[in-house]
């Protein structure tokens, strides 16, 4: 009998869609002369001293497993850094877990906490993996739509409206992928009060926090009464241009880190020791590199936002991250049609806003983690495309 492989796929996996970004970039791969404002990854190579730390680790024969929680010296350095920059003290011994990127840390948190049917509230448009990760943990994703008029931040009132007796977790990501939205301390305080009065646990994804261009970045974990009900996720991919090292971490209450460690222990075991050694160098000595990259991103952001608005694609100023999220509604095209036609006609790759959830429809994500020169050419091409579309 012929085996029907499709029938063997688990129902919850069958139900999740393929990432809209990956599909789109498979098409881009096969094309020549494309300027990509697509994949959300720094164009900078990891700073040399960090790469050197990885090379030294290999030279010294540091090639084995580490503790499941990760190297103690890295956890100690993370503890110092999080206390210095986010004002939250975590104990390296039992409140910090090193993971394979924020991606794994998020998956561990959800798998450690969610029972089938528990509701997880998150704000949208959001990073493509949030809703599928919740569903893979048998949770129920509950999206709260953010709006351009609000600078894509979320309000406590919007979250309050989404809370039900099944709500268990609130997920936050500021600055936000794909909108560059940030939060004020006042609004975060209201959200913290809500989390406390409804007994919600908060997962905060702080991966873009170093790429905040204006105003203070406040982590909800630092607000009174929140450390004990927050899982703080952070990583090295964006701030130190280390996406390929696959390294991140979670900080949180002892019992939750212990539960996440058990899932990690039986799945990933530990993060790569070579990446952990490189991350140690990054967190101890990489701050000037981050500052330098942020200033480059700031120049590019100012240029691209100005250019998009001039083209007639209304774009709010992203106060963090490396994404511009202009509205393409004035063209009358759907975000997918806009992105596909722009690619076909002008060879510029951007991600349709709809890839980040239904509330992203009508928008386009343009990643400005690429050279100013390429951004300038991309904007000339986009101007021509919009002009022809509207004509
Ligand atoms: C909001 C957000 N969280 C997490 C990740 C994944 O990060 P990592 O490379 O640490 O797994 C990304 C990557 O784009 C992201 O945008």
């Amino acid at each position: 009998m012929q085996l029907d492989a499709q029938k063997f796929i688990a129902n919850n996996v069958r139900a999740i869609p393929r990432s809209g970004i990956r599909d789109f970039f498979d098409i881009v791969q096969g094309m020549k002369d494309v300027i990509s404002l697509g994949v959300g990854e720094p164009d900078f190579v990891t700073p040399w001293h960090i790469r050197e730390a990885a090379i030294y680790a290999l030279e010294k024969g540091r090639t084995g497993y580490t503790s499941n929680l990760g190297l103690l010296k890295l956890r100690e350095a993370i503890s110092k850094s999080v206390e210095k920059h986010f004002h939250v003290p975590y104990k390296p011994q039992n409140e910090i877990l090193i993971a394979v990127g924020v991606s794994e840390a998020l998956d561990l948190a959800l798998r450690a906490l969610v029972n089938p049917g528990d509701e997880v509230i998150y704000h949208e448009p959001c990073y493509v993996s949030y809703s599928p990760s919740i569903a893979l943990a048998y949770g129920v994703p509950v999206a709260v739509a953010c709006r351009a008029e609000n600078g894509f931040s979320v309000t406590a009132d919007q979250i309050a409206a989404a809370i039900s007796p099944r709500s268990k977790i609130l997920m936050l990501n500021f600055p936000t992928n794909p909108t560059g939205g940030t939060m004020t301390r006042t609004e975060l305080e209201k959200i913290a009060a809500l989390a406390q009065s409804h007994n919600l646990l908060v997962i905060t994804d702080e991966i873009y926090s170093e790429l905040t261009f204006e105003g203070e970045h406040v982590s909800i974990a630092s607000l009174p009464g929140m450390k004990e009900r927050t899982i703080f996720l952070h990583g090295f991919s964006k701030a130190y241009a280390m996406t390929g090292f696959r390294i991140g971490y979670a900080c949180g209450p002892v019992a939750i880190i212990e539960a996440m460690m058990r899932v990690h222990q039986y799945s990933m075991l530990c993060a790569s020791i070579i990446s952990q050694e490189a991350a140690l160098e990054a967190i101890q000595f990489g701050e000037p590199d981050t500052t330098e990259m942020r200033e480059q991103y700031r120049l590019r952001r100012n240029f691209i936002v100005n250019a998009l608005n001039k083209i007639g694609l209304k774009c709010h100023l992203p106060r963090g991250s490396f994404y511009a999220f202009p509205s393409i509604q004035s063209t009358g095209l759907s975000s997918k049609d806009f992105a596909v036609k722009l690619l076909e006609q002008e060879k510029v790759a951007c991600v349709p806003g709809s890839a980040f959830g239904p509330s992203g429809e009508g928008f386009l994500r343009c990643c400005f983690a690429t050279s100013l020169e390429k951004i300038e050419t991309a904007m000339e091409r986009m101007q021509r495309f919009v002009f022809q579309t509207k004509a």
Side-chain angles (χ1 to χ4, degrees):
M1 188 170 116
Q2 189 77 21
L3 183 139
D4 182 353
Q6 272 300 334
K7 286 206 172 130
F8 281 79
I9 312 292
N11 294 343
N12 64 337
V13 174
R14 206 191 301 252
I16 55 170
R18 280 165 60 98
S19 157
I21 301 190
R22 288 289 149 201
D23 273 358
F24 198 70
F25 283 90
D26 284 349
I27 309 173
V28 175
Q29 289 295 308
M31 292 175 76
K32 274 198 185 137
D33 189 32
V34 173
I35 298 179
S36 179
L37 308 182
V39 179
E41 146 161 87
D43 60 322
F44 301 106
V45 178
T46 310
W48 174 240
H49 65 105
I50 300 174
R51 281 184 275 155
E52 235 174 8
I55 295 167
Y56 290 152
L58 278 171
E59 270 181 2
K60 285 187 273 179
R62 305 270 293 148
T63 53
Y65 294 129
T66 69
S67 134
N68 295 129
L69 286 176
L71 293 172
L72 181 59
K73 60 183 180 180
L74 176 56
R75 285 181 275 137
E76 284 168 348
I78 288 170
S79 167
K80 277 195 193 133
S81 167
V82 174
E83 178 145 22
K84 178 176 165 203
H85 296 289
F86 299 90
H87 318 296
V88 200
Y90 289 106
K91 290 195 195 74
Q93 293 76 16
N94 53 12
E95 291 183 325
I96 300 175
L97 165 75
I98 315 291
V100 181
V102 170
S103 305
E104 195 218 353
L106 175 67
D107 184 51
L108 293 176
L110 291 167
R111 287 206 277 157
L113 296 168
V114 174
N115 286 314
D118 287 343
E119 291 181 2
V120 180
I121 302 172
Y122 62 101
H123 53 96
E124 203 207 69
C126 66
Y127 179 45
V128 288
S129 86
Y130 285 178
S131 173
S133 301
I134 297 164
L136 284 173
Y138 302 98
V140 179
V142 177
V144 172
C146 295
R147 294 195 188 81
E149 306 83 80
N150 245 348
F152 289 105
S153 42
V154 67
T155 64
D157 287 347
Q158 285 178 300
I159 292 170
I163 293 175
S164 85
R166 305 287 328 242
S167 306
K168 186 168 187 179
I169 297 170
L170 168 64
M171 270 167 59
L172 300 176
N173 167 230
F174 292 101
T176 309
N177 173 8
T179 62
T182 55
M183 290 290 280
T184 62
R185 179 183 286 275
T186 315
E187 203 59 44
L188 267 184
E189 280 168 355
K190 289 186 199 159
I191 292 173
L194 207 57
Q196 290 175 26
S197 61
H198 288 84
N199 198 25
L200 299 178
L201 200 91
V202 176
I203 298 178
T204 177
D205 177 346
E206 308 267 346
I207 196 160
Y208 294 101
S209 56
E210 284 81 5
L211 306 184
T212 302
F213 303 114
E214 277 96 21
E216 56 163 359
H217 172 78
V218 182
S219 172
I220 195 163
S222 68
L223 300 180
M226 289 308 289
K227 185 193 164 202
E228 53 266 46
R229 60 172 64 247
T230 302
I231 305 175
F232 174 100
L233 306 182
H234 203 354
F236 296 80
S237 289
K238 316 290 171 168
Y240 303 101
M242 289 176 69
T243 48
F245 284 83
R246 310 305 307 120
I247 191 95
Y249 56 92
C251 306
V254 175
I256 293 178
I257 292 296
E258 158 69 23
M260 288 171 63
M261 193 275 287
R262 263 182 278 144
V263 183
H264 178 67
Q265 188 170 59
Y266 296 123
S267 50
M268 206 58 71
L269 215 156
C270 68
S272 150
I273 188 169
I274 301 155
S275 299
Q276 293 192 51
E277 292 282 0
L280 179 63
E281 170 72 20
I283 206 158
Q284 285 181 321
F285 305 109
E287 216 174 311
D289 305 293
T290 305
T291 307
E292 165 73 28
M293 288 188 263
R294 181 175 52 240
E295 292 318 305
Q296 293 296 321
Y297 293 139
R298 186 197 302 276
L299 292 176
R300 298 166 183 186
R301 174 198 69 157
N302 293 348
F303 176 83
I304 198 170
V305 170
N306 195 21
L308 288 164
N309 280 307
K310 270 196 193 146
I311 294 171
L313 302 180
K314 199 170 168 215
C315 185
H316 77 287
L317 189 72
R319 295 164 70 88
S321 82
F322 41 50
Y323 307 108
F325 203 60
S327 164
I328 48 98
Q329 282 152 32
S330 61
T331 63
L333 295 175
S334 71
S335 63
K336 181 133 191 236
D337 283 351
F338 186 102
V340 170
K341 287 188 171 139
L342 178 67
L343 180 63
E344 285 169 357
Q345 293 176 27
E346 293 290 349
K347 296 195 172 169
V348 175
C350 297
V351 185
S354 54
F356 306 97
S359 55
E361 182 48 54
F363 294 87
L364 193 70
R365 191 188 77 173
C366 308
C367 174
F368 51 83
T370 192
S371 73
L372 202 50
E373 209 184 348
K374 283 190 183 158
I375 297 173
E376 278 170 13
T377 313
M379 289 301 104
E380 284 163 20
R381 294 184 187 184
M382 203 183 283
Q383 179 168 29
R384 196 161 52 211
F385 172 75
V386 170
F387 185 74
Q388 280 166 2
T389 306
K390 285 187 178 172

